[in-house]
Amino acid sequence: MIHQNLNGKWELSIPALKMNNIEGNIPGSVYSFLLDSNLIDDPYYRDNELKALKIMDNDFIFRKSFTLSKELENKSNLVLECFGLDTLCTVSINNIELGKTNNMYRKWRFSVPKYILQYENIIEIIINSPTKWIREENKNNYYGGSEHAMEGFPHLRKAHCMFGWDWGPRLPDAGIWKDIQLISLDESEIVDIDIKQKHINDIVSLNVNVSQSKEAEVKIEVETPDKKVFTLENNKDFNIPNPKLWWPNGLGEQPLYKVKVSLVKNNCVLDYCEKKIGLRILTLSRKKDEWGESFSHCINGIDFFAMGADYIPEDNILSRVTAEKTNNLLKQCKLANFNCIRVWGGGYYPSDEFYDACDNLGLVVWQDFMFSCANYPLDFDFEENITKEIEENVSRIRHHASLGLWCGNNEMEMFELQGKYSSDNNTRALYIRLYEHVIPHILKRVDPITPYWPSSPSSGGSFNDPNSENMGDVHYWDVWHGGKPFSDYRKYHFRYVSEFGFQSFPCEKTIDSFALEEDKNIFSHVLEMHQRNPGANGLILTYLSMNYLYPTSFDTLLYASQLLQGEAIKYGVEHWRRNRGRCMGAIYWQLNDIWPVASWASIDYFGRWKALHYYAKRFFNPIMISVEEESESTSMKSVVAERKNEIKTTAKICVTNETLNNVDGKVCWALLDSKSNIIKQDEVNVSVKRLDSFWLEKLDFNSTDYRETHLSYNYKVNGKIVSEGSILFCQPKHYHFKDPKIKAYVQGNSIVVECENYAKNIELYSDNEDFVLEDNFFDMEKGKRIVKVLEGTPINIKVRSVYDIK
């Protein structure tokens, strides 16, 4: 297809502010243009967000001059193709209006009459204020939504979180956020490529159905992972020789096949498209059982335990989100043993590069449609708008090997039932129509293969106990929002937990990016501006008081908060993985941040791993050893003066195997004191069947002093430790730690760590450089350990442990 790229240099004007002809780059936005021209301060710094938000009460004009390319000069059927306009736009060329837009998730096309074009042309896109528009719409027709966002946001098909969320700023930017180009439709173009697979025994057949706008020869080639090329006929089944199946991370490889489609006329290629696919059957498994109904992803006939996190937009200023940045973020997921990622429904549909990365890395995608925490005005215009939105995005994404599930919305089935956001019989009727009629009917036409789930959480729809423990998926927030202790997780055996989380502060380097020294108090104005969950900084302190001594320095408080987060999520995940089969998914909230902030993320805005991400690398290890202990934490004894013999100290060791192979190994455990002196120890040969868990007999330590002893354990395969850890039988604040006297130094591409006594949650860090290690925030008995450096160059290494929280 002949096209002329219109990206690059544009100009922005804001007439009401008398700001004219500001140069910038497209894809880009109001904020990116103003920032690049040094006309506003960083909206993420201190409380600059408040000033930046006011700018969005204005209308904006983006302009570009261009000369029609020679390739298009002699073409008659010209079209302006806009892959992403945000959001309320009027598009003109040479003062002739071509059309209007009202949905940032859609691709827009406008016919360009040849007669309006001159040698020099001006394309102009006027974008109306999103904040004024939602206020007016909300006055005329109120629809409730999340209290953390600006009122009226449900009316506009724009990323909801741009209007604020309980982890994000109120910066509803506007602009041309994807590519824009002129194209010729004189010749035939590829309209759709629908790729379907059939798996019968070991035979995999492929059907590629290409539709086009006119008449041309269709050529289809399939290139295998080992570079062999086969020719297919349009819409005819073809058996793939020696098919190589695609598997999620940890279960196998991710071989990808290239499907190449060309439209040819008179030996000239008119249009070309290439898609990568994986050969697999990826379904949703729901079977009646003794507890209710199972809920799990099923790959090639095998139910697997989903391990991952919820993904949100990577930046509020969308032009900063690059393919390289996204790919790197998802690589960090694979490093932490993820096999799944959920795209949350309050952002936007990610780029093609996002799904390409998930295909390559083996990350199964739970994909929400972009509806979250709101009621919607489902009139005819809205339905037509979102129908086109869904059709376009489903057609774009459906071929990806990683696509595991379409989900109607985030949390609205549950909230409709609860009457939240002014829900009533009318909104509930609209809910049923949208998520249980409109969307399923679209999918039946456009993608009848990928499973559809009406909401998250849900038990299957129709307001039937949407947050049930015994069927469907669950969002569990009593730990954190409900203030309950970590041990509360063990009361429940959810079938699939698609949201649960715990907050922490980012490291001090990240806080330095938005705060002055005078701001470094978690209750300061600036730090509360960078904490969007009301009361959360105080809640972190409440949980800290349950577990650790009071930190006497700001940096130590940040460290302690990250340990709290890691321990909380570990408590839940290990419990659910031990009960694999009944529970089949643990997707924590959340993977990443949209700006520098205190949040539930395990990787902060700058890509720095918090403690939780290292914890995840351990508790998502396909072969994992863990302990279900009875201790001070589980005894519900809140008064220290209660006799110690009222607190049971026992341990049940469990090895979980989330691989396709049986594993034979040895469990080694030892009860030690704070000097790493062994009190009791044992070794047990343990074989664990594939995709299963194995429990050892309960160990009784009631005769020992729970404030003086701890349990260390590991699982060895072929003499090599594949998983390890340690537990206390009391809260860390009550354990009698000895000074571990930790030393750390760089040796080649590793860091050598030495300590003289037991150390818990050793962190290796630097004020100068960022790096990723094979392990961090780990426990260690006295001795020496070598930790490999995976990314970055450690300089001026510092070290600390729980002993330093005081």
Side-chain angles (χ1 to χ4, degrees):
M1 179 187 293
I2 298 174
H3 72 278
Q4 179 177 350
N5 192 310
L6 296 179
N7 292 349
K9 294 295 182 183
W10 283 59
E11 291 182 347
L12 165 69
S13 295
I14 312 175
L17 299 182
K18 298 181 179 179
M19 302 174 76
N20 297 305
N21 306 321
I22 304 159
E23 289 191 348
N25 285 295
I26 293 301
S29 66
V30 172
Y31 288 145
S32 73
F33 274 56
L34 296 177
L35 283 165
D36 291 347
S37 299
N38 297 313
L39 293 173
I40 61 170
D41 296 323
D42 178 4
Y44 297 169
Y45 186 67
R46 304 195 82 211
D47 62 356
N48 287 345
E49 171 198 347
L50 300 174
K51 291 183 289 184
L53 175 59
K54 293 178 181 178
I55 295 171
M56 301 317 298
D57 273 344
N58 298 283
D59 296 338
F60 313 98
I61 304 172
F62 286 89
R63 288 193 191 92
K64 181 185 181 72
S65 63
F66 69 95
T67 302
L68 197 65
S69 69
K70 290 182 179 179
E71 292 82 1
L72 292 178
E73 277 182 355
N74 296 320
K75 302 299 180 182
S76 57
N77 190 1
L78 298 182
V79 169
L80 179 66
E81 187 171 46
C82 311
F83 288 90
L85 297 178
D86 182 14
T87 297
L88 298 164
C89 303
T90 302
V91 181
S92 304
I93 292 181
N94 297 335
N95 295 318
I96 303 297
E97 183 179 317
L98 304 181
K100 296 179 183 293
T101 75
N102 60 355
N103 189 327
M104 75 174 286
Y105 307 128
R106 288 176 55 187
K107 178 174 74 175
W108 296 88
R109 282 184 166 186
F110 305 101
S111 179
V112 180
K114 196 71 177 288
Y115 70 85
I116 73 170
L117 296 176
Q118 306 164 8
Y119 179 74
E120 280 289 331
N121 302 282
I122 301 292
I123 180 172
E124 180 177 274
I125 299 179
I126 299 172
I127 305 182
N128 296 123
S129 162
T131 50
K132 279 186 176 179
W133 192 87
I134 64 170
R135 281 198 295 269
E136 285 302 311
E137 287 297 309
N138 212 43
K139 285 180 186 176
N140 297 331
N141 194 9
Y142 174 80
Y143 276 86
S146 172
E147 64 274 17
H148 303 294
M150 300 176 72
E151 284 196 349
F153 77 86
H155 288 278
L156 192 57
R157 296 309 294 156
K158 175 179 173 67
H160 294 353
C161 61
M162 295 175 83
F163 292 103
W165 218 258
D166 57 0
W167 36 257
R170 294 185 171 190
L171 293 170
D173 203 0
I176 304 167
W177 72 291
K178 291 186 179 181
D179 295 337
I180 183 169
Q181 62 184 11
L182 278 170
I183 60 174
S184 166
L185 296 184
D186 283 10
E187 303 290 352
S188 189
E189 67 162 336
I190 297 170
V191 174
D192 188 37
I193 303 173
D194 189 7
I195 304 170
K196 288 186 170 63
Q197 306 174 24
K198 292 178 184 176
H199 294 245
I200 302 174
N201 298 322
D202 294 330
I203 299 173
V204 179
S205 66
L206 208 60
N207 183 293
V208 181
N209 186 5
V210 179
S211 57
Q212 57 179 311
S213 60
K214 296 182 179 179
E215 292 295 326
E217 181 186 358
V218 177
K219 289 190 174 181
I220 304 170
E221 291 182 337
V222 172
E223 182 181 308
T224 69
D226 53 4
K227 307 302 181 184
K228 294 179 181 177
V229 178
F230 299 95
T231 300
L232 279 65
E233 292 185 57
N234 190 23
N235 202 22
K236 296 288 181 66
D237 289 352
F238 176 83
N239 291 342
I240 300 292
N242 302 312
K244 296 178 173 64
L245 297 186
W246 184 95
W247 295 90
N249 180 38
L251 295 176
E253 300 300 316
Q254 294 81 43
L256 297 174
Y257 290 71
K258 292 180 182 178
V259 177
K260 304 175 182 181
V261 175
S262 303
L263 297 184
V264 180
K265 190 172 185 179
N266 299 325
N267 294 319
C268 179
V269 176
L270 306 179
D271 202 359
Y272 175 81
C273 183
E274 182 177 303
K275 295 178 183 287
K276 291 183 180 180
I277 65 168
L279 305 181
R280 88 293 185 267
I281 305 173
L282 185 48
T283 60
L284 186 63
S285 182
R286 298 171 62 197
K287 302 169 186 173
K288 297 294 182 183
D289 58 23
E290 60 188 295
W291 302 290
E293 184 179 79
S294 67
F295 187 95
S296 65
H297 301 293
C298 181
I299 182 73
N300 302 324
I302 294 172
D303 294 345
F304 67 94
F305 192 104
M307 302 183 288
D310 295 281
Y311 168 87
I312 65 170
E314 296 168 48
D315 206 302
N316 218 95
I317 299 171
L318 300 181
S319 56
R320 291 175 173 174
V321 181
T322 64
E324 180 183 11
K325 182 179 177 183
T326 297
N327 192 54
N328 185 60
L329 177 64
L330 294 171
K331 281 183 179 178
Q332 311 308 311
C333 296
K334 182 169 185 174
L335 274 177
N337 294 309
F338 286 30
N339 61 24
C340 191
I341 193 161
R342 174 178 171 239
V343 179
W344 171 75
Y348 59 86
Y349 304 93
S351 66
D352 294 334
E353 291 81 6
F354 173 92
Y355 302 99
D356 288 341
C358 290
D359 293 345
N360 288 320
L361 297 168
L363 301 175
V364 172
V365 178
W366 172 308
Q367 177 67 59
D368 284 4
F369 290 111
M370 293 302 116
F371 304 96
S372 179
C373 298
N375 292 310
Y376 296 93
L378 191 60
D379 55 24
F380 291 120
D381 289 340
F382 187 91
E383 181 176 336
E384 181 182 25
N385 194 0
I386 61 107
T387 295
K388 291 177 180 177
E389 165 196 322
I390 292 169
E391 287 173 344
E392 289 176 11
N393 283 284
V394 170
S395 296
R396 175 174 67 91
I397 298 167
R398 68 189 173 194
H399 70 278
H400 283 279
S402 56
L403 180 63
L405 180 145
W406 296 111
C407 180
N409 69 84
N410 174 70
E411 298 190 329
M412 277 315 299
E413 183 181 359
M414 174 177 68
F415 287 153
E416 285 287 354
L417 195 61
Q418 294 172 1
K420 199 166 183 178
Y421 309 139
S422 302
S423 297
D424 54 24
N425 288 338
N426 178 58
T427 63
R428 282 187 278 277
L430 294 177
Y431 174 94
I432 292 292
R433 174 165 172 74
L434 177 54
Y435 303 111
E436 300 188 20
H437 178 79
V438 172
I439 294 177
H441 277 73
I442 297 171
L443 291 174
K444 187 176 181 180
R445 284 188 286 105
V446 186
D447 182 14
I449 304 300
T450 306
Y452 173 68
W453 193 241
S455 182
S456 182
S458 179
S459 294
S462 301
F463 306 121
N464 178 28
D465 196 7
N467 214 19
S468 170
E469 179 182 1
N470 296 315
M471 53 186 173
D473 72 311
V474 163
H475 292 191
Y476 180 76
W477 284 103
D478 280 0
V479 176
W480 181 254
H481 288 308
K484 292 187 176 179
F486 305 161
S487 56
D488 204 65
Y489 285 126
R490 290 189 187 165
K491 294 180 180 178
Y492 304 100
H493 298 80
F494 303 120
R495 310 317 299 262
Y496 188 116
V497 193
S498 50
E499 270 194 34
F500 66 109
F502 197 96
Q503 273 207 10
S504 72
F505 299 108
C507 66
E508 193 162 10
K509 274 187 288 189
T510 294
I511 288 177
D512 285 338
S513 74
F514 65 80
L516 299 171
E517 282 298 316
E518 67 196 58
D519 301 322
K520 290 183 179 179
N521 183 301
I522 63 169
F523 299 119
S524 71
H525 172 68
V526 168
L527 261 68
E528 289 193 335
M529 281 290 296
H530 289 255
Q531 167 58 273
R532 304 323 273 263
N533 180 204
N537 289 354
L539 188 53
I540 290 173
L541 284 190
T542 298
Y543 274 102
L544 189 146
S545 73
M546 298 178 190
N547 293 276
Y548 296 104
L549 296 175
Y550 186 77
T552 53
S553 74
F554 181 72
D555 194 36
T556 305
L557 172 58
L558 307 182
Y559 164 71
S561 79
Q562 292 196 19
L563 297 188
L564 280 171
Q565 182 185 34
E567 290 291 332
I569 303 306
K570 171 191 171 186
Y571 216 94
V573 173
E574 289 188 346
H575 165 64
W576 293 316
R577 286 197 65 191
R578 285 193 292 266
N579 290 278
R580 188 209 184 279
R582 186 173 181 182
C583 180
M584 290 298 287
I587 309 297
Y588 66 77
W589 184 271
Q590 68 205 64
L591 171 63
N592 59 303
D593 279 326
I594 198 171
W595 71 320
V597 65
S599 80
W600 296 272
S602 62
I603 297 179
D604 77 15
Y605 173 73
F606 294 102
R608 296 173 179 136
W609 286 33
K610 291 176 164 182
L612 173 56
H613 212 71
Y614 284 103
Y615 272 72
K617 189 172 186 287
R618 295 191 289 266
F619 60 59
F620 285 154
N621 191 335
I623 300 172
M624 179 198 71
I625 187 170
S626 65
V627 171
E628 183 179 274
E629 85 290 349
E630 291 180 291
S631 66
E632 183 182 47
S633 299
T634 61
S635 70
M636 306 304 291
K637 305 293 183 184
S638 59
V639 180
V640 174
E642 291 177 320
R643 296 195 306 265
K644 66 181 181 181
N645 61 6
E646 294 179 346
I647 295 173
K648 294 181 179 179
T649 52
T650 67
K652 285 186 71 176
I653 296 174
C654 181
V655 181
T656 303
N657 177 14
E658 197 63 32
T659 75
L660 296 182
N661 299 306
N662 298 336
V663 62
D664 297 317
K666 182 178 291 185
V667 169
C668 306
W669 65 263
L671 187 72
L672 307 101
D673 65 17
S674 58
K675 295 182 179 180
S676 293
N677 295 316
I678 296 173
I679 300 167
K680 294 180 180 180
Q681 64 178 339
D682 198 6
E683 295 182 352
V684 183
N685 291 324
V686 171
S687 298
V688 189
K689 294 179 180 179
R690 71 178 201 154
L691 306 171
D692 203 357
S693 293
F694 182 87
W695 291 81
L696 280 69
E697 293 296 319
K698 182 185 288 189
L699 302 171
D700 188 339
F701 301 122
N702 283 308
S703 61
T704 60
D705 189 335
Y706 66 90
R707 296 180 65 197
E708 298 284 351
T709 58
H710 63 276
L711 182 70
S712 285
Y713 47 90
N714 63 61
Y715 187 60
K716 294 179 181 178
V717 178
N718 297 324
K720 181 181 178 181
I721 294 174
V722 296
S723 181
E724 62 183 326
S726 74
I727 60 161
L728 304 178
F729 294 102
C730 62
Q731 285 94 342
K733 64 181 179 179
H734 292 155
Y735 188 75
H736 290 163
F737 287 103
K738 300 293 188 295
D739 185 353
K741 299 179 182 178
I742 308 169
K743 297 177 182 178
Y745 54 92
V746 177
Q747 189 177 80
N749 196 39
S750 299
I751 300 173
V752 179
V753 184
E754 299 176 353
C755 64
E756 297 183 15
N757 295 303
Y758 171 60
K760 191 157 188 63
N761 299 125
I762 294 174
E763 182 192 11
L764 303 169
Y765 66 106
S766 169
D767 294 332
N768 307 100
E769 295 291 330
D770 295 330
F771 47 81
V772 175
L773 306 176
E774 68 173 342
D775 201 6
N776 208 351
F777 299 90
F778 53 83
D779 302 345
M780 181 176 169
E781 301 300 333
K782 69 178 178 181
K784 180 189 289 188
R785 177 174 178 177
I786 297 175
V787 180
K788 290 181 181 178
V789 179
L790 302 181
E791 295 179 10
T793 305
I795 299 174
N796 300 324
I797 296 296
K798 292 184 176 182
V799 63
R800 58 187 164 194
S801 71
V802 171
Y803 177 80
D804 299 299
I805 303 177
K806 55 186 177 180

